Structure formats: structure tokens, C-alpha cells
Amino acid sequence: MAHSFGWWDKEVHRGTPVIVKMENPNWSIAEISSPDDNEYGAGEEFAVPGGGARKGTRGKNAKQITWVLLLKAHRAAGCLTSLASAAVGLASTVRRRVVYGRTDSDAASSLPEENPVLRSRFYSCIKVFLWLSVVLLGFEVAAYLKGWHLSAVEMHRLVLPSSLGVRGLLESLYTGWVRFRVEYIAPPLQFLADACVILFLIQSADRLILCLGCFWVRFKGIKPLPKRSTGASEDPESGGDDYPMVLVQIPMCNEKEVYQQSIAAVCNLDWPRSNILIQVLDDSDDPTTQALIKEEVEKWQQNGAHIVYRHRVIRDGYKAGNLKSAMNCSYVKDYELVAIFDADFQPTPDFLKRTVPHFKDNEELGLVQARWSFVNKDENLLTRLQNINLCFHFEVEQQVNGVFINFFGFNGTAGVWRIKALEDAGGWLERTTVEDMDIAVRAHLNGWKFIYLNDVECQCELPESYEAYRKQQHRWHSGPMQLFRLCLPDIIRSKIGFWKKSNLIFLFFLLRKLILPFYSFTLFCIILPLTMFVPEAELPAWVVCYIPAAMSFLNILPAPRSFPFIVPYLLFENTMSVTKFNAMISGLFQLGSAYEWVVTKKSGRSSEGDRISLMKNEPKQQQGGSAPNLDAIAKDESQPKKKSKKKHNRIYRKELALAFLLLTASARSLLSAQGIHFYFLLFQGISFLLVGLDLIGEQID
């Protein structure tokens, strides 16, 4: 609204219509000033350019400010309405989730090998801590309100009350509790806290050294280079020494969502057909899935692809047994290298041309590992957080270990092995659930070297549901502990150098596979809540806040676009420490769940670029595309079969119990006015609550 500054305008233009429209389209506010309005305040005037004075400006400005404030108040009310609506929707989802009643124990009960007593022991311990913390919280609140809250120093000067009434009895109980915790609980708790802090600092130093190594690699431009590129001097169709014989294996099991795109991607590899053989190793127990995969293989065979279909009658040993059975074929002796791709991996056509040349004139090289990239990393919050972890794993851990010590854990897929190295290491073994790490360790003990290529990517999928991710992480953290128990004597007796043995035992296994989940769970999920009820044992603020924030910052550096998720990442990693700690304990002590193998569910997503590439290549190689025969599918589905289980979200009891434990501890921290500890416990408790109710990741109606 523009003001008039001329004196002649006083009589002509006494009022200006003002209309303020709110964001809500259902109503608006209008104010129209009239000549009768008391527009000017009495005794108010000031000089304006051009002479004269203008009265009432302060009153008119007050009206403008009033409308602006009303507009902002309406916006604030809209925000509060949105938050209330979101809260109501969340509460409704939680209510439906709880009423539905499916918990993680329902799924675990279907495992016949696991003792239910062993399965529930960990959960029972958490429940004991929870109920103890609730009782102590009530006791401490009552003592605080009565003024009985005493410090350890005051305890030495305390005189027990002589009253024998109820008040005196309660005071005696509280006094005895304080003395008991000061003398018997606080010292061992403080010792355990200090030990975990030391482990935390050691692991943080290891993480910092890895980041510095990655910075040095990038600063110096260190990159593995082949001595000669494939096909530099020969015709690709003629084969020759530049195109060694390559066996490609695609192990799969009941993965009908992804079999087409993976088979198509591998059949489009740019390699002479006479020098490549593709094995589709199908372990599916579903007849329909078997028929679909077999039909897909036959279509590619008719179009000239050198591909075979294999199905085992006796399906022992999971993936390791499947690969071992395939390597026993008589024609494998004619091949020098083997490339392995899981069912959801889609290598680019030049994958072999960028990996195989590194084996040329390098007889000590046993493995070339490529990096993973993810087609669904932005699908939901869970996939974004997974992307942060895996970017750090490949960009930092794998690259630094590959450059400086020529050893790292094989990722199980998107890698090329020298078959001689596999045979020298003893082949695939079914003794653990991490057959990829097992074969890598045994090959390393036999002197074989590894190369990691950070610039060669192979696209795949991330688990989109928390249930699938949780089972995957359980397998990835129980298997290394199984392997450590089995191969420790072999490491000690091996002929590799002392520093390589030390790296394997102390860094590769103990620090990164055992200590990391141990201190993450013990320090932040057990010790920290207990220190709220035993204030004589303390955890400094830099352990609770500053060091974890710095480590999260380092972890997120390889994925800079994920910086907005640094706080959810920190909280989610602590939340996942429950699953990782449980898996580590089960693997270390050979509990029933250590042998659990569940195929990670896939959604069948493929990137737009891959679809375009396959569509361009498809007319040249295949008439009618790779779509399955619908008549055959209908015929198979018409046969009687077992009713498939309905997908649903679950409730996770361990996470929920820890959520209430942390929230109880956060309420107790208010009594001692510990600001940072309160906020950490509060947000960490909310994080456990959301994960326990399965509100992260894929939501199923």
C-alpha cells in the first residue's frame, strides 16, 4: 500500500482499501477504511518531503502490522494443523500396526533349527533392564519430589532417620539404595564405560586413518591400471590371448522379480561368444519360477547366446553349495576366469573389458572387485541410509585396503576370480553364511593379491523394507564371527607376514567385525541409560555427542548429497547395533540363528539407462523380446500350489523394549539436568520406537 505525501491529497484520498487474503482458500479477511474511520492519531505528525506534515502514519502502520501478524498467525496455524494431521496419521498407523499383532517372533518361530530359549534370551535381558529402569525412575522421582536426592559426597555425612514410620522406611530404603549403587554398582559400571570409551576411540582412530588413506589416494590419483587393454591388437570376434576364456555365473533362488534383467544384462556383455559361457544357477524351489527362468535361458540360446541353465536336485549349502556344484562341471577346466553376479546385478556391456585386462601378465592377481551402485538409493529413508554406509565401504574401506595391502573382503558379486586362485584356496565351502569372505581370506593366506576398481560400477538393488535389511545385516554380521572361529588357527599357521596376520586378526576381524557392534550397543544402548540411574558413573559429553557426530561426518563424506540425513544416520546406526550385536554373539558362540540364510527380497527395479540400453540391443539379438510366455505361466499357475504368505509390516520387540528403556532414561536425566544426554536419549529412543514399529522403509497397506 503506497502512501500519499502531498497536502492536497488529504481531502481527496482519505482511505485506501486493503485486502489481505490468507493461504486457506475457504475464507479471507478484508478491511476497507472509510472517511469516518479515525485514521489519524491525535497529536501525531512529522515532516515529509515537499513541506507539510503527515499525521496518523503511526496508526496506519499499526494496522498494517496487525494484518501481517494475522497472516503469519494463520500460517502458523496451518503448520500446526499439518503437524496435528501427521501426528494423527502416525498414531493411526501405530494403532493398526499394534492391533495387527505380527511380531518378529512369529517369523523366528518358523526356524526349526533354533532353540526358542536361546532365541528369547537376549530379549529377556533387555526386558529386565527395562523393568528395572521403570522401577528406578519411579523411585527417583519420588525421592526427588521429597528432597531426598543425595550426591555421593553427602552419603558419607548422612545420618539415618530415627523415625520408624512409612516416611522413615522409605528414606531408609532410598539411603540404602544410594549407598549400594555408590559402593557396588558405580565402580564396575564406570570401568565398563571407560573400557567401551577406549574401544570407541580406537575404532574412531581406525576410521580416521582410513579416511586419510582415501584422501591420499584421491590426492595422488592412485588407480590400478592394466598393463594392456583388452582387444588393443586383435579382432574381438576372433578371440585370442587378449580375450581369455571367461565363465559367468548368475546364482539365484526364487527371484522371479529380477531374473530377466540380470540375464539380459549378462548376455549383452561385450565379449567374443566363443570365449564366454554363462551359467544360470537356479536354486528355486518354486516350479513356476523355475519354468520362467528356464524359458528365458532358452530364448537367449535361440538368439545365439552361449548360456546354460542348471538346477540342483539336492539344494545343500545355499549359495556356496550352488557355486561349488557349478564349478564341478567338466567344461570348467577350459576357462581361466569366472565372473559372478547376483540375480539383481546388471553389469554394463564393457564390464569384462574393464576388469579382465588386470589379470594379463599379473600371475599373482586372484580377484578384481568392482563397485556397487544402486538403482533405488532414493526410494525411501532406509535406502538413503544404506547408501551412506555402502558408499563409505566401497569408496574408503575397499579402496584403501586394495591400494595399500592388496586385500579386502570379496563382496560376493560383481567380481572376477582367477579359477586357479579359487582352486588353490580350496574352492567354495558351505561352513559359514559368508562364503565370499571365507574364500577371500583363504586365498589371501595362500598369497593371492586383490585389486579393487572404484571406477567400475555394477548396478543393483538395496533392500527397501526393514525386515529384509535386518535379515541381511544379521547374516553379514554373524557369518564373520563364525569364520573367525574357524580360520583363526589357519591364520596363525599361515606363511604370510606378521603385519598381514595382525591386520587380519586385529583389524579385519576383531576391530571391524566384533568390537564395532559390541561397543555401539553396549555403550549407547546399555551403559548410557544406566548412568542416568547411577549418576556416580559418568559418560562425558564428547563421548555422547561430539565424537559420534565427527565419525558420522566422516562416514557421510563419500556421499555428499546425503548430508541432510546425517542426524538420522547417526541415530539409525545406533539402532541397528541391536541386530548387529545379536548377530555377532550368535555367530561367535554358534547359536541357532547364526546359520539362518534368508534370500534378500528384490523389487525388480532397473535404471532407465539400462532399460534404454537393453531395448536398443534387443531387436538385434532377439525377436519378440524377452517377455515370458503368458500361456505357459497361466498353465503353471492353474496347477494347485501353496498359498503364498501375505506381505505385512512387523513389530520388533527388542527395538521397542530398548525404545522404552531409552525414553525412561531420558526422563530420569531431567532430574539431574543433563542437557546433551537428555536430547540424545530422547531422539535415540524415538528412533528405536520408529524402527520397532517398522515405520522406516517400505510401508505395506
Side-chain angles (χ1 to χ4, degrees), residues 523-563:
L523 186 62
F524 295 110
C525 300
I526 299 298
I527 295 178
L528 179 58
L530 286 181
T531 56
M532 297 298 102
F533 298 100
V534 187
E536 294 77 18
E538 298 180 354
L539 276 179
W542 57 269
V543 174
V544 177
C545 180
Y546 304 130
I547 298 291
M551 292 301 103
S552 298
F553 178 80
L554 292 179
N555 281 12
I556 215 167
L557 280 178
R561 292 180 57 190
S562 301
F563 268 104

Side-chain angles (χ1 to χ4, degrees), residues 350-532:
D350 63 345
F351 181 88
L352 293 179
K353 286 191 172 181
R354 300 178 67 185
T355 54
V356 170
H358 292 272
F359 291 94
K360 187 70 175 179
D361 301 327
N362 191 356
E363 296 300 325
E364 295 182 342
L365 182 61
L367 167 67
V368 174
Q369 173 71 58
R371 178 173 180 163
W372 298 0
S373 61
F374 311 104
V375 299
N376 61 337
K377 61 183 178 181
D378 297 324
E379 184 65 24
N380 53 45
L381 179 60
L382 178 61
T383 58
R384 291 176 185 272
L385 299 179
Q386 292 179 68
N387 180 59
I388 296 173
N389 254 344
L390 291 171
C391 281
F392 181 87
H393 170 70
F394 285 105
E395 181 84 16
V396 180
E397 293 179 341
Q398 297 291 75
Q399 184 170 216
V400 171
N401 289 326
V403 168
F404 291 102
I405 61 177
N406 296 119
F407 168 72
F408 46 82
F410 174 45
N411 294 115
T413 178
V416 182
W417 276 94
R418 190 187 298 273
I419 294 181
K420 184 180 179 182
L422 291 177
E423 295 173 347
D424 189 36
W428 298 101
L429 299 180
E430 309 97 326
R431 57 181 183 174
T432 70
T433 58
V434 283
E435 72 293 326
D436 44 9
M437 185 182 295
D438 188 0
I439 192 69
V441 170
R442 287 184 281 118
H444 180 59
L445 295 180
N446 282 276
W448 292 96
K449 296 182 178 180
F450 303 163
I451 285 180
Y452 171 74
L453 302 179
N454 193 56
D455 58 338
V456 180
E457 296 184 356
C458 189
Q459 290 190 329
C460 61
E461 288 186 16
L462 291 168
E464 296 181 6
S465 68
Y466 178 69
E467 180 183 7
Y469 179 64
R470 188 171 182 257
K471 291 178 179 178
Q472 181 196 68
Q473 292 300 304
H474 187 280
R475 176 165 53 89
W476 285 4
H477 286 81
S478 65
M481 289 298 96
Q482 292 177 295
L483 181 61
F484 179 64
R485 295 177 73 257
L486 294 172
C487 71
L488 181 59
D490 296 332
I491 296 175
I492 296 175
R493 292 193 301 263
S494 66
K495 297 180 181 180
I496 61 175
F498 172 78
W499 292 112
K500 290 186 176 181
K501 290 182 181 180
S502 301
N503 172 71
L504 265 179
I505 296 174
F506 295 107
L507 291 181
F508 187 77
F509 279 112
L510 290 181
L511 183 60
R512 297 168 188 164
K513 303 296 188 296
L514 188 148
I515 291 177
L516 178 58
F518 171 78
Y519 88 76
S520 296
F521 173 75
T522 307
L523 186 62
F524 295 110
C525 300
I526 299 298
I527 295 178
L528 179 58
L530 286 181
T531 56
M532 297 298 102

Side-chain angles (χ1 to χ4, degrees), residues 136-155 158-161 163 165-179 181-182 535-536 668 671:
L136 290 179
L137 177 62
F139 202 35
E140 292 286 348
V141 170
Y144 185 83
L145 295 176
K146 294 292 184 180
W148 302 338
H149 193 67
L150 302 173
S151 64
V153 177
E154 293 172 334
M155 283 300 305
L158 183 67
V159 179
L160 291 175
S163 173
V166 176
R167 178 182 175 86
L169 179 61
L170 293 177
E171 289 184 9
S172 300
L173 288 175
Y174 182 73
T175 302
W177 155 244
V178 174
R179 283 185 169 173
R181 80 186 188 196
V182 169
E536 294 77 18
R668 172 61 181 86
L671 302 181

